[in-house]
Amino acid sequence: MTALNLINVTLQYPDGEGLMTALDTVNLAVHPGQFISLVGPSGSGKSSLLAVAATLIKPTSGLVMIDGVDATALREKELAALRRDKVGIIFQQPNLLASLTAAEQLIITDHLRGKSLRAAAVRANELLEMVGLADCAKKRPHQLSGGQRQRVNIARALMAQPKVLLVDEPTAALDHERSASIVGLLREVCDQFNVATVMVTHDTEFVPLTDAVATMLDGALTAPVPAMETASAR
Ligand code: ADP
Ligand code: MG
């Protein structure tokens, strides 16, 4: 089964008297463990696609299937549960709470899902170790580097064991070396947890670390092509 399937998704925003089409009949299927890069010029609709896939915005038409469930048919309460349990979201700026330690950032998200604090703490420690932050569990955001904060952000998105991971320009605030290590970490996460991953990136350099690349242009999405082909074509 595909973990994420967008079928004929169209999204229009109000624009003055009329409408502007941010997503134009977009189709995309992502399988468990598949890592897709999403590239395209600014304003082409990449973030809109992620917001629709994350079920944060309902498309004007079309279906958004998450782990076999049509999110567009759900009511808000069921939709919130689907999003909480199945979708991990990682944006450019790690939105960490200033007063919490790295471990607490993770634990609180699981606790809000009704997990016991003890179980959440165990999983938080495992994930912090996986992202290379075993030594930073007790540090607060201001004591962490930009790259470390993004790693906390990634670990936090994995707490619920999501089926789908949506990542918007995760390296935009990082230098080259840290960017490479963040994309490398996302590759490991995708493989180890078998999560379907879509990453928006302006940095085509990291595309070869992913399986396939799809290009957005004026709201339309090309079919994904194998990432290795793009690497050899350059
Ligand atoms: P990208 O992430 O590729 O830069 P976006 O998805 O952010 O593109 O934007 C696609 C288009 O939709 C742009 O023309 C943008 O101005 C427009 N847009 C994005 N969000 C909104 C919104 N909330 N209301 C109206 N228009 C929007
Ligand atoms: Mg964007």
Side-chain angles (χ1 to χ4, degrees):
M1 197 201 305
T2 51
L4 170 68
N5 204 356
L6 305 182
I7 302 169
N8 291 333
V9 164
T10 294
L11 175 68
Q12 294 178 319
Y13 293 115
D15 183 30
E17 302 278 282
L19 296 168
M20 77 86 54
T21 301
L23 298 175
D24 185 3
T25 333
V26 164
N27 287 283
L28 179 66
V30 191
H31 299 279
Q34 195 180 15
F35 192 173
I36 303 269
S37 302
L38 189 58
V39 302
S42 176
S44 58
K46 304 181 298 296
S47 294
S48 297
L49 187 151
L50 288 195
V52 165
T55 78
L56 293 169
I57 302 181
K58 191 173 177 165
T60 309
S61 62
L63 302 184
V64 178
M65 310 287 297
I66 308 277
D67 198 26
V69 173
D70 177 13
T72 61
L74 299 182
R75 284 181 237 228
E76 191 46 50
K77 199 174 167 192
E78 301 160 311
L79 189 60
L82 179 81
R83 189 187 306 131
R84 193 185 61 202
D85 296 339
K86 302 278 170 94
V87 184
I89 304 171
I90 298 168
F91 292 127
Q92 175 179 336
Q93 294 295 342
N95 222 335
L96 302 179
L97 298 163
S99 61
L100 298 187
T101 67
E104 287 165 351
Q105 313 274 348
L106 275 57
I107 291 167
I108 194 168
T109 64
D110 241 20
H111 195 54
L112 293 173
R113 275 184 199 103
K115 285 261 194 82
S116 80
L117 275 179
R118 186 182 294 263
V122 169
R123 180 154 178 82
N125 279 328
E126 287 169 3
L127 284 172
L128 286 175
E129 188 171 338
M130 196 234 162
V131 302
L133 291 180
D135 297 342
C136 297
K138 295 208 165 80
K139 291 192 177 169
R140 293 176 208 284
H142 70 93
Q143 297 169 304
L144 298 170
S145 71
Q148 288 172 329
R149 283 197 289 269
Q150 192 57 291
R151 285 168 185 272
V152 174
N153 198 18
I154 292 169
R156 182 176 57 180
L158 296 169
M159 282 297 279
Q161 301 180 273
K163 301 286 183 189
V164 177
L165 194 58
L166 302 165
V167 196
D168 202 350
E169 307 220 12
T171 64
L174 302 179
D175 65 29
H176 177 267
E177 197 178 322
R178 284 180 177 149
S179 298
S181 83
I182 288 292
V183 181
L185 172 62
L186 289 168
R187 174 78 261 181
E188 278 177 48
V189 161
C190 181
D191 293 342
Q192 186 168 331
F193 297 107
N194 208 33
V195 57
T197 306
V198 180
M199 175 180 71
V200 170
T201 181
H202 58 276
D203 229 329
T204 51
E205 187 191 339
F206 301 124
V207 165
L209 282 173
T210 68
D211 298 312
V213 54
T215 305
M216 220 43 216
L217 195 62
D218 291 339
L221 187 70
T222 65
V225 297
M228 291 317 290
E229 288 178 19
T230 63
S232 55
R234 279 188 293 136

